[in-house]
C-alpha cells in the first residue's frame, strides 16, 4: 500500500541515540498542526457565543471535549505509528468500496464545513483590519492556495515552526485581553463543574455540540494518524515504535492543552463582555467593537486591542488552511486511492466552500449575524459527523491484525472511547429531535 502523505513520510530526522529532551523536541510539530484545528474561527464563534449567552457554564463542555480530544488524538497517533497507515487507509481496509465512498463523502463535507469557517473568519478579519467588503474578502481567501503552496516548498519542519509561532501569538493575545476584561474568576472556576442546564436547555445544547464539533474535529483524527509518520523512527522495531508513540502523545497533549486554554479564554472573554449585559450576541464584530470601546481602552488603547483581536483571527483562519488541505489529501488518497495535486484540491475545496458564504451574503446582504450563524451551524455539523470517525478509530486500534499484538488499546481506553461514541451519537439524535420539534 502507498505510504500516507508520501512526500513527507519519514522526512523529519529523528536521532535514536539522543537524550530524552531532544527526542521530545524532534517530535514537537505534528501536535501544533492538529491543535490549529481546535482554535480555528469556528471555535472562536462557538466559544464566544456560548459565553455571551450562557455565561461560564459551557467551560465544562470545553474541558470534557478537550480531554476527549487528547484521548482520541493519542489513539490516532498510536494507529499511525503502529500500523504504518492513516485512519482513512485503515477504514478502507475494514469496509467495502461503497461504504468507503460514503464515508469519504461525509468526511469531505466535514472538511468543507471547516473551510467555510476559515473563509468567514478570514474575510471578517480582512474587513475589520482593512475595511475590505465581505464579498471581496471571501474572494481573496481563494488566493490562499498559492500561499499554502509556497509554504509547503519551505519544508514540513518549517511549516510546523511557523504554525507554532502563530498559535503562540493567538495565545498571548487572548491571555492579555482576558486579563484586561476582568472576569469574575469565582464564576469562571465554577463553570468547569458540569451542570444539567447544558443538556436541558436546547439552545445551550446546540452551542455545546458546536463546541464539541469544533474541539474534536473529525478530519483531525485522519490528519494526526498521517503526519506523525513524518518522523524517521524505526518502522520495524516494537521498541522504537513504542518510544515514538510516547513522544507523539506528549507532543499532542502539550499542544492540545494550549488549545484548551485558548478556547477557555475565548468563552471567558465573551462572557465577561456580554453575558447579562443585554447587548447583542458575542460575535466577531460585537467583540471587536467591545474591545474598541470598553474599559480596556483606558489601559492600552481600544484600537490596539481590537486590532490585535483581528490579527489573531486572520492568523487563525490562515493556520487552519494548512491542516484542512493536508487532511483532505489524506482522506482522498486513503478512502478512494485518488491522488490530486495539492493546488487543484485546495482550489476546488475552497471554491466549493465560498459558495454558501456568497449565497448567504446575497440573501442577507451585510447581515453579519446571519454570516456568523452559518459559521456556528458548520461546527454543529462537525459534531454530527464525528461518530463516523471515532467508531472506525476505536475498532481499528483494538484490532491486533492492524496494530500488532503489543499496540492495541488498553481496556480502559476502549471503555472510555466507546462511551464517547455512544454519548456523541445520543446527544446528536436528541439535538435533531429538539430542533425539528421546535420547527413543527
Amino acid at each position: 500500500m502507498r505510504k500516507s502523505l508520501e512526500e513527507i513520510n519519514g522526512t523529519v530526522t529523528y536521532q535514536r541515540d539522543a537524550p530524552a529532551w531532544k527526542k521530545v523536541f524532534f517530535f514537537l510539530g505534528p501536535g501544533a498542526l492538529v491543535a490549529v484545528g481546535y482554535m480555528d474561527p469556528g471555535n472562536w464563534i462557538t466559544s464566544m457565543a456560548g459565553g455571551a449567552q450562557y455565561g461560564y457554564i459551557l467551560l465544562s463542555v470545553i474541558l470534557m471535549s478537550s480531554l476527549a480530544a487528547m484521548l482520541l488524538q493519542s489513539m490516532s497517533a498510536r494507529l499511525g505509528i503502529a500500523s504504518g497507515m492513516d485512519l482513512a487507509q485503515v477504514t478502507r481496509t475494514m469496509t467495502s468500496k461503497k461504504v468507503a465512498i460514503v464515508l469519504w463523502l461525509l468526511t469531505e463535507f466535514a472538511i468543507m464545513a471547516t473551510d467555510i469557517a476559515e473563509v468567514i473568519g478570514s474575510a471578517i478579519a480582512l474587513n475589520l483590519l482593512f475595511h475590505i467588503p465581505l464579498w471581496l474578502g471571501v474572494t481573496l481567501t481563494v488566493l490562499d492556495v498559492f500561499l499554502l503552496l509556497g509554504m509547503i516548498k519551505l519544508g514540513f519542519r518549517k511549516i510546523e515552526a511557523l504554525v507554532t509561532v502563530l498559535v503562540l501569538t493567538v495565545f498571548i493575545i487572548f491571555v492579555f485581553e482576558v486579563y484586561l476584561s476582568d472576569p469574575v474568576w469565582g464564576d469562571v472556576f465554577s463553570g468547569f463543574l458540569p451542570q444539567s442546564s447544558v443538556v436541558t436547555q436546547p439552545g445551550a445544547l446546540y452551542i455545546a455540540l458546536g463546541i464539541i464539533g469544533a474541539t474534536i474535529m473529525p478530519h483531525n483524527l485522519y490528519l494526526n494518524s498521517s503526519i506523525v509518520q513524518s518522523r524517521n523512527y524505526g518502522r520495524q522495531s516494537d521498541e522504537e515504535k513504542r518510544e515514538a508513540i510516547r513522544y507523539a502523545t506528549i507532543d499532542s497533549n502539550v499542544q492540545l492543552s494550549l488549545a484548551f486554554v485558548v478556547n477557555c479564554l475565548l468563552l471567558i472573554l465573551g462572557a465577561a463582555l456580554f453575558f447579562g449585559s443585554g447587548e447583542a450576541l458575542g460575535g466577531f464584530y460585537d467583540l471587536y467593537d467591545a474591545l474598541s470601546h470598553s474599559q480596556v481602552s483606558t489601559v492600552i488603547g481600544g484600537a490596539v486591542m481590537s486590532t490585535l483581536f483581528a490579527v489573531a483571527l486572520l492568523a487563525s483562519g490562515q493556520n487552519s488552511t494548512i491542516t484542512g488541505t493536508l487532511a483532505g489529501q489524506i482522506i482522498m488518497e486513503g478512502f478512494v486511492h485518488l491522488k490530486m495535486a495539492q493546488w487543484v484540491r485546495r482550489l476546488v475545496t475552497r471554491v466549493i466552500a465560498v459558495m454558501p458564504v456568497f449565497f448567504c451574503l446575497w440573501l442577507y446582504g451585510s447581515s453579519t449575524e446571519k454570516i456568523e450563524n452559518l459559521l456556528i451551524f458548520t461546527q454543529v455539523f462537525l459534531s454530527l459527523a464525528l461518530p463516523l470517525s471515532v467508531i472506525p478509530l476505536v475498532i481499528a486500534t483494538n484490532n491486533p491484525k492492524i496494530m500488532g499484538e503489543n499496540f492495541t488499546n488498553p481496556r480502559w481506553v476502549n471503555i472510555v472511547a466507546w462511551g464517547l461514541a455512544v454519548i456523541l451519537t445520543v446527544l446528536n439524535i436528541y439535538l435533531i429531535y429538539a430542533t425539528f420539534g421546535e420547527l413543527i
Side-chain angles (χ1 to χ4, degrees):
M1 179 179 289
R2 177 184 291 170
K3 291 181 180 179
S4 180
L5 285 182
E6 270 186 312
E7 59 270 28
I8 66 167
N9 196 297
T11 59
V12 178
T13 303
Y14 174 60
Q15 299 178 12
R16 296 172 180 82
D17 56 348
W21 69 269
K22 271 195 173 182
K23 290 181 179 179
V24 171
F25 174 76
F26 289 138
F27 268 91
L28 286 178
L33 268 69
V34 171
V36 161
Y38 295 81
M39 52 181 104
D40 72 345
N43 291 76
W44 288 40
I45 195 67
T46 49
S47 294
M48 289 190 300
Q53 296 181 57
Y54 303 103
Y56 303 104
I57 66 170
L58 292 176
L59 284 171
S60 61
V61 176
I62 295 178
L63 173 61
M64 290 185 288
S65 59
S66 295
L67 292 174
M70 290 180 187
L71 175 65
L72 293 173
Q73 290 297 343
S74 69
M75 291 168 61
S76 176
R78 176 185 291 266
L79 174 67
I81 293 170
S83 70
M85 297 185 287
D86 59 59
L87 180 57
Q89 291 173 325
V90 169
T91 306
R92 177 65 183 87
T93 64
M94 297 190 302
T95 58
S96 66
K97 184 176 180 180
K98 290 182 179 179
V99 173
I101 290 175
V102 171
L103 291 174
W104 168 58
L105 290 174
L106 290 173
T107 310
E108 285 285 5
F109 286 138
I111 291 178
M112 289 174 190
T114 305
D115 227 25
I116 291 173
E118 295 161 11
V119 168
I120 294 174
S122 297
I124 289 176
L126 290 172
N127 179 250
L128 292 174
L129 287 169
F130 308 110
H131 306 293
I132 295 174
L134 283 178
W135 68 267
L136 181 56
V138 170
T139 305
L140 289 174
T141 62
V142 177
L143 301 179
D144 69 14
V145 177
F146 305 103
L147 173 64
L148 176 64
L149 290 174
M151 291 177 64
I152 289 176
K153 290 180 180 179
L154 295 174
F156 196 67
R157 192 65 166 156
K158 290 184 175 63
I159 290 177
E160 291 174 343
L162 177 60
V163 167
T164 300
V165 169
L166 291 175
V167 167
L168 289 174
T169 300
V170 173
F171 171 75
I172 292 169
I173 287 174
F174 280 108
V175 166
F176 188 50
E177 295 196 341
V178 166
Y179 171 74
L180 293 179
S181 69
D182 194 26
V184 181
W185 289 107
D187 293 344
V188 170
F189 291 119
S190 65
F192 289 106
L193 300 175
Q195 300 182 36
S196 59
S197 57
V198 173
V199 177
T200 56
Q201 298 183 55
L205 179 60
Y206 182 80
I207 297 294
L209 280 174
I211 290 174
I212 293 171
T215 305
I216 315 174
M217 303 183 78
H219 68 271
N220 263 356
L221 298 176
Y222 297 95
L223 177 69
N224 198 27
S225 63
S226 178
I227 60 177
V228 291
Q229 298 179 54
S230 63
R231 270 52 187 171
N232 190 24
Y233 53 85
R235 261 56 174 179
Q236 305 303 320
S237 165
D238 280 4
E239 182 181 350
E240 289 187 283
K241 283 184 179 180
R242 193 173 291 109
E243 185 179 64
I245 290 171
R246 180 167 66 252
Y247 289 120
T249 302
I250 291 172
D251 173 40
S252 176
N253 287 345
V254 167
Q255 305 287 2
L256 291 180
S257 296
L258 183 63
F260 160 70
V261 174
V262 169
N263 283 318
C264 289
L265 293 173
L266 287 164
L267 189 143
I268 292 168
L269 195 60
L273 295 178
F274 293 97
F275 182 64
S277 67
E279 295 185 34
L281 170 69
F284 294 132
Y285 285 96
D286 301 322
L287 192 52
Y288 181 86
D289 290 339
L291 289 171
S292 297
H293 302 105
S294 67
Q295 292 182 350
V296 298
S297 61
T298 63
V299 181
I300 190 173
V304 174
M305 294 302 295
S306 56
T307 299
L308 285 175
F309 167 79
V311 169
L313 178 59
L314 184 60
S316 174
Q318 292 307 302
N319 251 350
S320 301
T321 288
I322 301 169
T323 59
T325 301
L326 291 174
Q329 183 177 341
I330 291 163
I331 68 163
M332 181 179 289
E333 292 181 12
F335 276 123
V336 292
H337 302 161
L338 178 62
K339 190 172 179 65
M340 182 183 292
Q342 286 186 333
W343 73 270
V344 175
R345 167 164 183 95
R346 187 64 195 150
L347 187 61
V348 171
T349 54
R350 181 47 63 97
V351 168
I352 292 174
V354 301
M355 287 180 180
V357 184
F358 275 128
F359 177 76
C360 201
L361 286 171
W362 172 77
L363 192 63
Y364 299 110
S366 58
S367 175
T368 56
E369 181 181 348
K370 297 295 183 182
I371 297 294
E372 290 171 345
N373 285 342
L374 172 63
L375 202 157
I376 294 176
F377 172 77
T378 64
Q379 304 310 294
V380 175
F381 177 81
L382 289 176
S383 180
L384 295 172
L386 188 55
L388 299 176
S389 301
V390 172
I391 293 173
L393 176 64
V394 180
I395 293 173
T397 50
N398 196 41
N399 188 335
K401 292 182 179 180
I402 294 173
M403 302 291 292
E405 294 291 342
N406 299 321
F407 295 103
T408 54
N409 293 328
R411 183 180 295 273
W412 73 268
V413 171
N414 280 327
I415 292 172
V416 174
W418 277 118
L420 283 172
V422 171
I423 290 170
L424 285 170
T425 302
V426 170
L427 286 175
N428 285 328
I429 292 173
Y430 176 76
L431 175 65
I432 293 170
Y433 171 79
T435 302
F436 280 96
E438 287 184 359
L439 293 175
I440 296 173

